[in-house]
PDB file of all heavy atoms in Angstrom:
ATOM      1  N   MET A   1     327.091 101.350 108.812  1.00 62.00           N
ATOM      2  CA  MET A   1     327.869 100.250 109.101  1.00 62.00           C
ATOM      3  C   MET A   1     328.682 100.431 110.430  1.00 62.00           C
ATOM      4  O   MET A   1     329.214 101.526 110.639  1.00 62.00           O
ATOM      5  CB  MET A   1     328.812  99.951 107.937  1.00 62.00           C
ATOM      6  CG  MET A   1     329.663  98.713 108.084  1.00 62.00           C
ATOM      7  SD  MET A   1     330.595  98.471 106.503  1.00 62.00           S
ATOM      8  CE  MET A   1     331.556  97.103 107.007  1.00 62.00           C
ATOM      9  N   HIS A   2     328.794  99.307 111.240  1.00 77.00           N
ATOM     10  CA  HIS A   2     329.689  99.390 112.409  1.00 77.00           C
ATOM     11  C   HIS A   2     331.073  99.523 112.151  1.00 77.00           C
ATOM     12  O   HIS A   2     331.495  98.957 111.281  1.00 77.00           O
ATOM     13  CB  HIS A   2     329.403  98.233 113.351  1.00 77.00           C
ATOM     14  CG  HIS A   2     327.963  97.991 113.659  1.00 77.00           C
ATOM     15  ND1 HIS A   2     327.243  98.826 114.445  1.00 77.00           N
ATOM     16  CD2 HIS A   2     327.127  96.974 113.332  1.00 77.00           C
ATOM     17  CE1 HIS A   2     325.981  98.425 114.516  1.00 77.00           C
ATOM     18  NE2 HIS A   2     325.875  97.164 113.914  1.00 77.00           N
ATOM     19  N   THR A   3     331.851 100.342 113.015  1.00 88.00           N
ATOM     20  CA  THR A   3     333.315 100.548 112.827  1.00 88.00           C
ATOM     21  C   THR A   3     333.861 100.404 114.306  1.00 88.00           C
ATOM     22  O   THR A   3     333.174 100.575 115.364  1.00 88.00           O
ATOM     23  CB  THR A   3     333.840 101.817 112.306  1.00 88.00           C
ATOM     24  OG1 THR A   3     333.335 102.853 113.192  1.00 88.00           O
ATOM     25  CG2 THR A   3     333.251 102.026 110.874  1.00 88.00           C
ATOM     26  N   ILE A   4     335.178 100.004 114.529  1.00 91.00           N
ATOM     27  CA  ILE A   4     335.731  99.922 115.827  1.00 91.00           C
ATOM     28  C   ILE A   4     335.711 101.219 116.497  1.00 91.00           C
ATOM     29  O   ILE A   4     335.558 101.355 117.761  1.00 91.00           O
ATOM     30  CB  ILE A   4     337.074  99.246 115.720  1.00 91.00           C
ATOM     31  CG1 ILE A   4     337.655  99.042 117.139  1.00 91.00           C
ATOM     32  CG2 ILE A   4     338.019 100.084 114.920  1.00 91.00           C
ATOM     33  CD1 ILE A   4     336.864  98.072 118.007  1.00 91.00           C
ATOM     34  N   ASP A   5     335.800 102.305 115.717  1.00 91.00           N
ATOM     35  CA  ASP A   5     335.839 103.693 116.432  1.00 91.00           C
ATOM     36  C   ASP A   5     334.492 104.072 116.932  1.00 91.00           C
ATOM     37  O   ASP A   5     334.351 104.539 118.035  1.00 91.00           O
ATOM     38  CB  ASP A   5     336.213 104.738 115.376  1.00 91.00           C
ATOM     39  CG  ASP A   5     337.790 104.566 114.869  1.00 91.00           C
ATOM     40  OD1 ASP A   5     338.517 104.164 115.852  1.00 91.00           O
ATOM     41  OD2 ASP A   5     338.056 104.927 113.851  1.00 91.00           O
ATOM     42  N   SER A   6     333.365 103.743 116.143  1.00 92.00           N
ATOM     43  CA  SER A   6     332.048 104.025 116.693  1.00 92.00           C
ATOM     44  C   SER A   6     331.769 103.244 117.953  1.00 92.00           C
ATOM     45  O   SER A   6     331.173 103.618 118.836  1.00 92.00           O
ATOM     46  CB  SER A   6     330.983 103.840 115.572  1.00 92.00           C
ATOM     47  OG  SER A   6     331.020 102.470 115.277  1.00 92.00           O
ATOM     48  N   LEU A   7     332.207 101.879 117.938  1.00 91.00           N
ATOM     49  CA  LEU A   7     332.002 100.987 119.051  1.00 91.00           C
ATOM     50  C   LEU A   7     332.866 101.701 120.292  1.00 91.00           C
ATOM     51  O   LEU A   7     332.221 101.671 121.399  1.00 91.00           O
ATOM     52  CB  LEU A   7     332.482  99.637 118.694  1.00 91.00           C
ATOM     53  CG  LEU A   7     332.368  98.544 119.996  1.00 91.00           C
ATOM     54  CD1 LEU A   7     330.974  98.409 120.476  1.00 91.00           C
ATOM     55  CD2 LEU A   7     332.996  97.324 119.576  1.00 91.00           C
ATOM     56  N   ALA A   8     334.115 102.024 120.029  1.00 91.00           N
ATOM     57  CA  ALA A   8     334.798 102.607 121.083  1.00 91.00           C
ATOM     58  C   ALA A   8     334.237 103.904 121.760  1.00 91.00           C
ATOM     59  O   ALA A   8     334.273 104.042 122.986  1.00 91.00           O
ATOM     60  CB  ALA A   8     336.265 102.925 120.680  1.00 91.00           C
ATOM     61  N   HIS A   9     333.703 104.674 120.926  1.00 91.00           N
ATOM     62  CA  HIS A   9     332.845 105.912 121.351  1.00 91.00           C
ATOM     63  C   HIS A   9     331.748 105.512 122.307  1.00 91.00           C
ATOM     64  O   HIS A   9     331.466 106.126 123.360  1.00 91.00           O
ATOM     65  CB  HIS A   9     332.465 106.806 120.163  1.00 91.00           C
ATOM     66  CG  HIS A   9     331.806 107.965 120.554  1.00 91.00           C
ATOM     67  ND1 HIS A   9     332.253 109.063 121.160  1.00 91.00           N
ATOM     68  CD2 HIS A   9     330.363 108.227 120.470  1.00 91.00           C
ATOM     69  CE1 HIS A   9     331.430 109.953 121.365  1.00 91.00           C
ATOM     70  NE2 HIS A   9     330.257 109.469 120.941  1.00 91.00           N
ATOM     71  N   ARG A  10     330.995 104.398 121.794  1.00 89.00           N
ATOM     72  CA  ARG A  10     329.849 104.001 122.581  1.00 89.00           C
ATOM     73  C   ARG A  10     330.304 103.417 124.038  1.00 89.00           C
ATOM     74  O   ARG A  10     329.582 103.702 124.917  1.00 89.00           O
ATOM     75  CB  ARG A  10     329.104 102.960 121.777  1.00 89.00           C
ATOM     76  CG  ARG A  10     327.915 102.435 122.405  1.00 89.00           C
ATOM     77  CD  ARG A  10     327.136 101.584 121.359  1.00 89.00           C
ATOM     78  NE  ARG A  10     325.820 101.292 121.869  1.00 89.00           N
ATOM     79  CZ  ARG A  10     324.872 100.547 121.188  1.00 89.00           C
ATOM     80  NH1 ARG A  10     325.362 100.094 119.947  1.00 89.00           N
ATOM     81  NH2 ARG A  10     323.666 100.340 121.717  1.00 89.00           N
ATOM     82  N   LEU A  11     331.498 102.736 123.919  1.00 91.00           N
ATOM     83  CA  LEU A  11     331.815 102.052 125.170  1.00 91.00           C
ATOM     84  C   LEU A  11     332.452 103.177 126.181  1.00 91.00           C
ATOM     85  O   LEU A  11     332.442 102.818 127.425  1.00 91.00           O
ATOM     86  CB  LEU A  11     332.984 101.063 124.839  1.00 91.00           C
ATOM     87  CG  LEU A  11     332.575  99.874 124.091  1.00 91.00           C
ATOM     88  CD1 LEU A  11     333.757  99.005 123.709  1.00 91.00           C
ATOM     89  CD2 LEU A  11     331.524  98.990 124.808  1.00 91.00           C
ATOM     90  N   SER A  12     332.845 104.336 125.726  1.00 90.00           N
ATOM     91  CA  SER A  12     333.378 105.285 126.533  1.00 90.00           C
ATOM     92  C   SER A  12     332.399 105.765 127.638  1.00 90.00           C
ATOM     93  O   SER A  12     332.843 106.397 128.678  1.00 90.00           O
ATOM     94  CB  SER A  12     333.962 106.441 125.757  1.00 90.00           C
ATOM     95  OG  SER A  12     332.938 107.029 125.113  1.00 90.00           O
ATOM     96  N   SER A  13     331.162 105.535 127.447  1.00 88.00           N
ATOM     97  CA  SER A  13     330.140 106.010 128.377  1.00 88.00           C
ATOM     98  C   SER A  13     330.178 105.165 129.633  1.00 88.00           C
ATOM     99  O   SER A  13     329.625 105.550 130.688  1.00 88.00           O
ATOM    100  CB  SER A  13     328.661 105.927 127.808  1.00 88.00           C
ATOM    101  OG  SER A  13     328.405 104.588 127.399  1.00 88.00           O
ATOM    102  N   TYR A  14     330.777 103.908 129.559  1.00 85.00           N
ATOM    103  CA  TYR A  14     330.673 103.128 130.869  1.00 85.00           C
ATOM    104  C   TYR A  14     332.025 102.324 131.017  1.00 85.00           C
ATOM    105  O   TYR A  14     332.085 101.641 132.105  1.00 85.00           O
ATOM    106  CB  TYR A  14     329.469 102.127 130.841  1.00 85.00           C
ATOM    107  CG  TYR A  14     329.550 100.990 129.937  1.00 85.00           C
ATOM    108  CD1 TYR A  14     329.930  99.717 130.400  1.00 85.00           C
ATOM    109  CD2 TYR A  14     329.071 101.052 128.542  1.00 85.00           C
ATOM    110  CE1 TYR A  14     330.006  98.569 129.567  1.00 85.00           C
ATOM    111  CE2 TYR A  14     329.215  99.899 127.660  1.00 85.00           C
ATOM    112  CZ  TYR A  14     329.576  98.711 128.273  1.00 85.00           C
ATOM    113  OH  TYR A  14     329.607  97.609 127.424  1.00 85.00           O
ATOM    114  N   LEU A  15     332.930 102.343 130.063  1.00 89.00           N
ATOM    115  CA  LEU A  15     334.235 101.545 130.446  1.00 89.00           C
ATOM    116  C   LEU A  15     335.312 102.454 130.428  1.00 89.00           C
ATOM    117  O   LEU A  15     335.342 103.519 129.727  1.00 89.00           O
ATOM    118  CB  LEU A  15     334.364 100.491 129.251  1.00 89.00           C
ATOM    119  CG  LEU A  15     333.588  99.213 129.303  1.00 89.00           C
ATOM    120  CD1 LEU A  15     333.866  98.305 128.194  1.00 89.00           C
ATOM    121  CD2 LEU A  15     333.578  98.452 130.651  1.00 89.00           C
ATOM    122  N   PRO A  16     336.429 102.133 131.233  1.00 90.00           N
ATOM    123  CA  PRO A  16     337.616 102.974 131.297  1.00 90.00           C
ATOM    124  C   PRO A  16     338.424 102.837 130.094  1.00 90.00           C
ATOM    125  O   PRO A  16     338.310 101.737 129.379  1.00 90.00           O
ATOM    126  CB  PRO A  16     338.243 102.618 132.541  1.00 90.00           C
ATOM    127  CG  PRO A  16     337.853 101.087 132.839  1.00 90.00           C
ATOM    128  CD  PRO A  16     336.447 101.001 132.192  1.00 90.00           C
ATOM    129  N   PRO A  17     339.337 103.761 129.749  1.00 92.00           N
ATOM    130  CA  PRO A  17     340.148 103.704 128.532  1.00 92.00           C
ATOM    131  C   PRO A  17     341.012 102.416 128.293  1.00 92.00           C
ATOM    132  O   PRO A  17     341.045 102.034 127.174  1.00 92.00           O
ATOM    133  CB  PRO A  17     340.954 104.912 128.665  1.00 92.00           C
ATOM    134  CG  PRO A  17     340.274 105.903 129.477  1.00 92.00           C
ATOM    135  CD  PRO A  17     339.435 105.080 130.460  1.00 92.00           C
ATOM    136  N   GLU A  18     341.532 101.983 129.458  1.00 93.00           N
ATOM    137  CA  GLU A  18     342.447 100.825 129.198  1.00 93.00           C
ATOM    138  C   GLU A  18     341.667  99.651 128.796  1.00 93.00           C
ATOM    139  O   GLU A  18     342.145  98.744 128.126  1.00 93.00           O
ATOM    140  CB  GLU A  18     343.247 100.584 130.425  1.00 93.00           C
ATOM    141  CG  GLU A  18     342.414 100.286 131.842  1.00 93.00           C
ATOM    142  CD  GLU A  18     342.091 101.528 132.544  1.00 93.00           C
ATOM    143  OE1 GLU A  18     342.092 102.694 131.883  1.00 93.00           O
ATOM    144  OE2 GLU A  18     341.746 101.339 133.751  1.00 93.00           O
ATOM    145  N   GLN A  19     340.450  99.506 129.228  1.00 92.00           N
ATOM    146  CA  GLN A  19     339.597  98.313 128.836  1.00 92.00           C
ATOM    147  C   GLN A  19     339.100  98.466 127.495  1.00 92.00           C
ATOM    148  O   GLN A  19     339.062  97.396 126.708  1.00 92.00           O
ATOM    149  CB  GLN A  19     338.323  98.265 129.945  1.00 92.00           C
ATOM    150  CG  GLN A  19     338.813  97.825 131.309  1.00 92.00           C
ATOM    151  CD  GLN A  19     337.505  97.547 132.158  1.00 92.00           C
ATOM    152  OE1 GLN A  19     336.485  97.746 131.797  1.00 92.00           O
ATOM    153  NE2 GLN A  19     337.798  97.305 133.524  1.00 92.00           N
ATOM    154  N   ILE A  20     338.773  99.683 127.077  1.00 93.00           N
ATOM    155  CA  ILE A  20     338.491  99.886 125.689  1.00 93.00           C
ATOM    156  C   ILE A  20     339.600  99.575 124.738  1.00 93.00           C
ATOM    157  O   ILE A  20     339.452  98.871 123.704  1.00 93.00           O
ATOM    158  CB  ILE A  20     337.976 101.373 125.431  1.00 93.00           C
ATOM    159  CG1 ILE A  20     336.750 101.699 126.213  1.00 93.00           C
ATOM    160  CG2 ILE A  20     337.701 101.619 123.981  1.00 93.00           C
ATOM    161  CD1 ILE A  20     336.271 103.213 126.251  1.00 93.00           C
ATOM    162  N   GLN A  21     340.762  99.899 125.164  1.00 94.00           N
ATOM    163  CA  GLN A  21     342.025  99.498 124.352  1.00 94.00           C
ATOM    164  C   GLN A  21     342.157  98.101 124.188  1.00 94.00           C
ATOM    165  O   GLN A  21     342.547  97.599 123.209  1.00 94.00           O
ATOM    166  CB  GLN A  21     343.264 100.245 125.108  1.00 94.00           C
ATOM    167  CG  GLN A  21     344.508 100.140 124.219  1.00 94.00           C
ATOM    168  CD  GLN A  21     344.383 100.832 122.954  1.00 94.00           C
ATOM    169  OE1 GLN A  21     343.657 101.746 122.683  1.00 94.00           O
ATOM    170  NE2 GLN A  21     345.024 100.152 121.846  1.00 94.00           N
ATOM    171  N   SER A  22     341.846  97.262 125.256  1.00 93.00           N
ATOM    172  CA  SER A  22     341.951  95.830 125.188  1.00 93.00           C
ATOM    173  C   SER A  22     340.976  95.224 124.142  1.00 93.00           C
ATOM    174  O   SER A  22     341.243  94.336 123.441  1.00 93.00           O
ATOM    175  CB  SER A  22     341.812  95.176 126.457  1.00 93.00           C
ATOM    176  OG  SER A  22     340.409  95.233 126.944  1.00 93.00           O
ATOM    177  N   ILE A  23     339.819  95.960 124.090  1.00 94.00           N
ATOM    178  CA  ILE A  23     338.739  95.570 123.023  1.00 94.00           C
ATOM    179  C   ILE A  23     339.167  95.807 121.700  1.00 94.00           C
ATOM    180  O   ILE A  23     339.061  95.102 120.758  1.00 94.00           O
ATOM    181  CB  ILE A  23     337.366  96.164 123.339  1.00 94.00           C
ATOM    182  CG1 ILE A  23     336.877  95.571 124.765  1.00 94.00           C
ATOM    183  CG2 ILE A  23     336.493  95.899 122.345  1.00 94.00           C
ATOM    184  CD1 ILE A  23     335.774  96.438 125.305  1.00 94.00           C
ATOM    185  N   ARG A  24     339.848  97.044 121.510  1.00 94.00           N
ATOM    186  CA  ARG A  24     340.430  97.378 120.197  1.00 94.00           C
ATOM    187  C   ARG A  24     341.520  96.331 119.828  1.00 94.00           C
ATOM    188  O   ARG A  24     341.574  95.845 118.702  1.00 94.00           O
ATOM    189  CB  ARG A  24     341.177  98.782 120.279  1.00 94.00           C
ATOM    190  CG  ARG A  24     340.190  99.949 120.214  1.00 94.00           C
ATOM    191  CD  ARG A  24     341.015 101.220 120.203  1.00 94.00           C
ATOM    192  NE  ARG A  24     340.296 102.297 120.004  1.00 94.00           N
ATOM    193  CZ  ARG A  24     339.932 102.908 118.968  1.00 94.00           C
ATOM    194  NH1 ARG A  24     340.363 102.437 117.813  1.00 94.00           N
ATOM    195  NH2 ARG A  24     339.191 104.056 118.838  1.00 94.00           N
TER     196      ARG A  24
END
């Protein structure tokens, strides 16, 4: 099952931290 943490980990490969935070 998808979680916000697993998505954030996946996004870290191509998005900067501040943008990942806005998605959170």
Side-chain angles (χ1 to χ4, degrees):
M1 186 174 170
H2 302 295
T3 65
I4 186 61
D5 291 329
S6 63
L7 176 61
H9 178 72
R10 187 172 186 176
L11 295 176
S12 63
S13 64
Y14 75 95
L15 285 182
E18 61 271 19
Q19 293 183 0
I20 297 173
Q21 188 56 37
S22 71
I23 295 165
R24 277 182 178 276

